[in-house]
Amino acid sequence: MKTKMKKIYLLAFLLTTMTTFAQEAEKSGKKEVKTCEIKEGFKEPERDKKTKKWAKQMNRFNEGAFPSLEDVKNHVAIDNDCDNSEVTLMRLSEQAGNGIYVYCVKGTQLKYKRMGTVIMIEGENPFKNN
């Protein structure tokens, strides 16, 4: 009787884990497109004092070592084949070596990340061969 119960529990466990992983695989394949709208009078956020100080120190020794918000915005505009005026910074979270930026580009919300001087769209694998 105990071995039969063990088999039933094992089978239930395996089926549960298989369906869970299958659902996660489905979700990872889809990209959710979020829309955004910039209201009149919206002011783009700026770096805090700590990050400004860090950027100033980094760029003093090595010009271009810490990209400005304008540099990131230019990258996003080029990446999405549009003009700088169509790109609006909605939110940002920065540390010394990395940052996350949420932009509204032509009515679509896009999330970018920065690791050092590398700027890429969130969820993109930089090592993936095309």
Side-chain angles (χ1 to χ4, degrees), residues 7-21:
K7 287 180 183 179
I8 290 173
Y9 282 132
L10 181 63
L11 183 61
F13 175 74
L14 288 174
L15 287 175
T16 305
T17 54
M18 286 172 45
T19 55
T20 304
F21 285 124

Side-chain angles (χ1 to χ4, degrees), residues 45 47 51 66-70 72-73 76 88-104 109-116 118-122:
R47 287 185 165 147
T51 311
F66 199 91
S68 68
L69 291 178
E70 195 61 34
V72 178
K73 192 173 189 177
V76 173
T88 306
L89 178 63
M90 295 171 54
R91 284 180 294 170
L92 78 141
S93 172
E94 287 187 308
Q95 291 83 36
N98 58 38
I100 296 178
Y101 310 90
V102 179
Y103 283 95
C104 185
Q109 183 176 322
L110 297 173
K111 192 182 246 186
Y112 277 79
K113 65 181 174 180
R114 175 183 59 83
M115 294 182 296
V118 179
I119 303 163
M120 69 185 95
I121 196 158
E122 180 80 278

Side-chain angles (χ1 to χ4, degrees), residues 62-80:
N62 186 5
E63 189 63 37
F66 199 91
S68 68
L69 291 178
E70 195 61 34
D71 293 336
V72 178
K73 192 173 189 177
N74 289 339
H75 178 86
V76 173
I78 291 169
D79 202 21
N80 290 287

Side-chain angles (χ1 to χ4, degrees), residues 113 115 118 120 124-129:
K113 65 181 174 180
M115 294 182 296
V118 179
M120 69 185 95
E124 182 181 280
N125 183 0
F127 303 111
K128 181 179 149 189
N129 292 334

Side-chain angles (χ1 to χ4, degrees), residues 33-49:
V33 177
K34 293 183 180 180
T35 59
C36 59
E37 186 177 319
I38 303 299
K39 295 186 173 146
E40 203 166 316
F42 177 78
K43 188 177 176 188
E44 290 186 358
E46 294 181 3
R47 287 185 165 147
D48 60 358
K49 289 180 183 180

